[in-house]
Amino acid sequence: MTVQDSVAADAAAPEVLVVAKLWPPMMESLRAAFRVHDRTHETDPAAFDAVAPRIRAIAASGESKVGRDLIARLPALEVISVFGVGYDGIDVAAARERGIEVTHTPNVLNDEVADLAIALVLAVARRIPQADRYVRDGKWRQGPAVLARKVSGSRLGIVGLGRIGHAIVKRAEAFGMSIAYTSRNPKADSPFRYLPDAAALAAEVDFLVVITPGGAATRKLIDAKVLAALGAQGYLVNVARGSVVDEAALVAALQSGKLGGAGLDVYASEPRVPEALLAMDNVVLSPHIGSATHDTRRAMGDLTVDNLLAHFAGRPLLTPVR
């Protein structure tokens, strides 16, 4: 056993492979209930080979990569519990072939991500970061800052009207915004206007908020065509996955003035952000903080661990991936 492994009070407790740097309080909960191997597959291959036949669970983050090869190396694997609502890095098909359950943490982060989406809409339209710098740099004494864009009463488009999308809509309605959306299929219970694809939606709105799942099906869904439809007076806000936006096309649209601005919380190659975006005055950047509050991270951690506890107790999983 390596120094990164820990043994629960019960030496017979199920053994869990942690495949990402997870929130410390969650790690404490895992270590209290399980025998934990913390990224041993990366840090100590020999030790991993020795314990791999005994690993019965994986604890992952929303950004983790758990592919078919890793799954195949774990013959006793029964469940993968993801600390996050997104699970596009998990090979769910490979897991299901083996009867391995996959869980995630939906709902507990809806409010936080929706709050951030609206915050980015306000920040990029009202130029709040730029206004802050204007005051700090002493420029206010030289005259007023440049005028910004009104948000209330504008048109909002949602790419992906799921749980978080609905939470964003609820907040947007408080600003008197009109709502339209696109998704794989129209929502029978939705009162909002449905557009058949992202380009058609972008042409009809002022702010396009992306909150669709990541993965191969949505890779570069927001491409040059969509950005052109959004136009020089439009703004893109992405709180989904960096892979959903064609980052090169986004940079080109912003540099050419064909897109008004962007508010981004996610990027194609995190934590690396294109230098061109860093230099732009019409872009607001945040470091993937959609769920980054103490309250929500604790709720996510508790749910991740509770799914594992339910599995090993023979109880129904709380939030399985369907």
Side-chain angles (χ1 to χ4, degrees), residues 247-282:
E247 215 163 66
L250 174 62
V251 169
L254 289 164
Q255 288 178 329
S256 66
K258 294 180 180 178
L259 181 67
L264 308 173
D265 187 49
V266 290
Y267 311 89
S269 300
E270 296 177 6
R272 294 180 293 276
V273 178
E275 290 292 330
L277 291 177
L278 299 177
M280 292 180 185
D281 192 49
N282 57 343

Side-chain angles (χ1 to χ4, degrees), residues 2 39-52 73:
T2 71
R39 293 166 285 174
T40 315
H41 63 306
E42 297 175 343
T43 61
D44 194 337
F48 175 68
D49 288 341
V51 302
R73 296 176 68 186

Side-chain angles (χ1 to χ4, degrees), residues 17-23 26-27 30 36-42 58-66 83:
L17 176 66
V18 171
V19 297
K21 185 176 180 180
L22 296 177
W23 193 50
M26 177 184 158
M27 288 295 294
L30 285 172
V36 174
H37 303 278
D38 186 2
R39 293 166 285 174
T40 315
H41 63 306
E42 297 175 343
I58 287 176
S61 73
E63 290 73 50
S64 294
K65 304 298 181 185
V66 179
F83 177 83

